[in-house]
Amino acid sequence: GYDTDADNMAEVLYQDSYMDNPGYFDVVDDAGFDPAYGDVNFYWYNLGITGLIDAFDAAGVHTDSIPGLVTTLLAGQAEHGGVSFSYGANNGDDDWQSTAYAMMTLGNLDQATYQSQINEMGYFLAATQDVSGGWVYSSGSHYPEIGGEATAGLSFTTNTTTYDLADALVDAAFTWQGDV
């Protein structure tokens, strides 16, 4: 029943992302960054990568693609820990949702192997958390979905490493862009 359905769904994702059939999300063609956010093909790139990793891992299909996807995902992690909304590690492009999903994906895939990166992502989430306990955008909006995802991502962190986030944020000239 559902195992076959999961395999079929993962195959649809593979065909779309790797074979351009139909090509709504193409791992290669959608790999870019536009600081003006005018090219919607670049939106949510790293979220797409986490979705592919999760689907292939859960269904046990196209698992040979997972290492390359993980490499792409980790290339989207900024020096201060956050994961970019678009392809690559772009200053000020990292966001809570992409970071949280990256933490959950890496934690479910192989937490021990990626613990250091997960912890760095967790430090970014903690450093950008509002004093209210939520993650509040510059517009004053707070979305429980984002807070829930950040909380789920943080559940994969440990206190076994230290990371000088304050220096990294200054070094990276980090500025939160708010709603994108």
Side-chain angles (χ1 to χ4, degrees):
Y2 290 122
D3 287 343
T4 301
D5 290 342
D7 292 352
N8 291 338
M9 287 180 219
E11 184 61 30
V12 166
L13 294 172
Y14 181 83
Q15 290 296 318
D16 178 60
S17 301
Y18 285 91
M19 308 305 288
D20 285 330
N21 179 21
Y24 293 121
F25 178 79
D26 186 297
V27 171
V28 175
D29 295 343
D30 293 337
F33 174 63
D34 172 11
Y37 297 97
D39 189 336
V40 297
N41 291 320
F42 300 156
Y43 285 19
W44 303 292
Y45 182 81
N46 283 311
L47 286 175
I49 297 299
T50 62
L52 291 172
I53 294 168
D54 292 343
F56 297 163
D57 184 48
V61 300
H62 300 294
T63 56
D64 58 323
S65 298
I66 293 175
L69 291 167
V70 168
T71 298
T72 299
L73 180 62
L74 292 176
Q77 184 177 15
E79 180 181 329
H80 55 269
V83 175
S84 281
F85 174 76
S86 304
Y87 173 79
N90 307 292
N91 245 355
D93 183 52
D94 41 5
D95 70 288
W96 301 315
Q97 191 172 40
S98 298
T99 302
Y101 271 95
M103 295 169 75
M104 291 184 283
T105 293
L106 295 172
N108 286 322
L109 185 64
D110 188 347
Q111 184 172 351
T113 297
Y114 302 111
Q115 192 64 65
S116 176
Q117 292 93 340
I118 293 167
N119 287 345
E120 291 170 2
M121 292 172 194
Y123 293 123
F124 163 75
L125 286 180
T128 57
Q129 186 177 18
D130 186 69
V131 295
S132 69
W135 284 265
V136 180
Y137 289 91
S138 58
S139 65
S141 300
H142 163 71
Y143 302 102
E145 175 189 8
I146 302 298
E149 292 160 350
T151 302
L154 286 167
S155 73
F156 287 97
T157 60
T158 66
N159 293 322
T160 60
T161 60
T162 57
Y163 186 71
D164 193 346
L165 184 65
D167 288 344
L169 289 173
V170 170
D171 292 345
F174 176 76
T175 55
W176 181 247
Q177 300 296 316
D179 295 12
V180 179

